Amino acid sequence: MRYKPTAFLATATPESANPTGVYTDPSLCTPVQYFEHVTSMWHPICNPVVRLKGAPSPLSLASFHLCSFDPAQRASEAKRLAMLGQPNMAAIIGGDCNSYPHRSDDETAALPDWDKITDRSHFEARTIERGGERVSDTRPDEILAGEHDGRPPVFKDLGHHAATVLGQSDALAPTASLWRTDQGPMRRIDRIYATPQVAEALTGLEVIVTDDVREVSDHAPVVATFSLAKLRRALSGTPGEKAVAA
């Protein structure tokens, strides 16, 4: 029996007619709240909050698309997303980060060699100044999944978690530039994050690259799979009965 998913779509913008969106399975969870975070965002964040059947605490879901042209804007947007990882919340968030993972040693796709990329506008859009040099922008990932002065990360990068904890090295496969050649080799700029207690329920992550995918996009879908029993336990230990708008 086929089910009809519950669809949430954020408002499109004049700059892009492709809104962020989240689909939920009504047989699995019930929507209880919906937030659309618009202020100072290039794309509004689509943020439904659901109650998983059999779990007492809510789960916040968010689809995002960080700014394609301004590293400072992306950093601000990442800080907005970090509000969805407050201590009294459980969340899974995912989207196009238009920037790079900060743990470069673990990645299968290296950071760009900017000497080999001739597109100056892309250089301006994807680099930041650090230590007197222009380097690849990793700030959004640092904000969302980095440790600072002994403080734990707000979220776990599920690709990194699957690779380093679950032993799935292919979880770090690059996701973007499937057929574009003007921005250098493929990079892992599309990522899914989860609050730490939710990340522990992850059973696997897959980057899907097929001919059918290449026909419709230069980005590959990223699919995270969770243990339902572990996810229910994670949500049972989450304080707070009501989600908080970021």
Side-chain angles (χ1 to χ4, degrees):
M1 180 178 178
R2 295 178 65 86
Y3 70 89
K4 183 178 180 180
T6 303
F8 299 89
L9 289 177
T11 307
T13 66
E15 290 84 3
S16 176
N18 301 313
T20 57
V22 174
Y23 291 85
T24 63
D25 180 348
S27 70
L28 184 65
C29 58
T30 302
V32 293
Q33 291 175 289
Y34 177 68
F35 302 110
E36 189 171 309
H37 309 293
V38 178
T39 304
S40 300
M41 299 297 301
W42 183 56
H43 281 272
I45 302 168
C46 179
N47 176 210
V49 179
V50 302
R51 193 173 296 279
L52 187 69
K53 292 184 178 179
S57 297
L59 175 66
S60 187
L61 305 172
S63 173
F64 64 83
H65 190 170
L66 301 188
C67 183
S68 65
F69 58 86
D70 185 354
Q73 173 78 9
R74 284 195 295 271
S76 176
E77 292 170 341
K79 288 182 180 292
R80 182 68 177 269
L81 285 166
M83 296 296 290
L84 298 179
Q86 295 177 62
N88 66 330
M89 299 175 70
I92 302 171
I93 68 174
D96 183 347
C97 298
N98 275 318
S99 52
Y100 310 100
H102 75 283
R103 301 180 187 90
S104 57
D105 291 344
D106 296 320
E107 296 294 318
T108 57
L111 291 173
D113 181 348
W114 293 106
D115 291 335
K116 297 180 179 178
I117 298 175
T118 59
D119 183 343
R120 174 61 187 277
S121 63
H122 188 60
F123 173 79
E124 293 297 336
R126 290 283 184 86
T127 64
I128 58 173
E129 185 171 333
R130 180 168 282 172
E133 304 180 54
R134 293 291 289 275
V135 298
S136 298
D137 180 20
T138 60
R139 283 190 298 183
D141 192 53
E142 292 168 21
I143 292 166
L144 294 173
E147 298 181 21
H148 297 278
D149 298 325
R151 296 180 179 88
V154 178
F155 296 102
K156 286 190 176 181
D157 170 358
L158 295 185
H160 184 265
H161 182 78
T164 59
V165 177
L166 303 180
Q168 299 176 352
S169 58
D170 56 350
L172 294 175
T175 64
S177 294
L178 296 186
W179 39 260
R180 290 186 65 165
T181 59
D182 57 326
Q183 296 180 352
M186 293 175 62
R187 312 291 178 192
R188 192 171 74 92
I189 68 170
D190 306 277
R191 298 187 290 275
I192 303 175
Y193 298 89
T195 45
Q197 78 276 32
V198 171
E200 294 304 316
L202 184 76
T203 60
L205 185 138
E206 182 181 5
V207 178
I208 300 175
V209 181
T210 65
D211 290 340
D212 288 341
V213 168
R214 288 188 176 94
E215 279 188 23
V216 296
S217 178
D218 70 325
H219 290 249
V222 182
V223 179
T225 305
F226 297 85
S227 161
L228 187 55
K230 289 183 179 180
L231 188 54
R232 285 191 176 113
R233 285 199 295 271
L235 295 173
S236 295
T238 302
E241 281 294 307
K242 187 175 181 180
V244 179

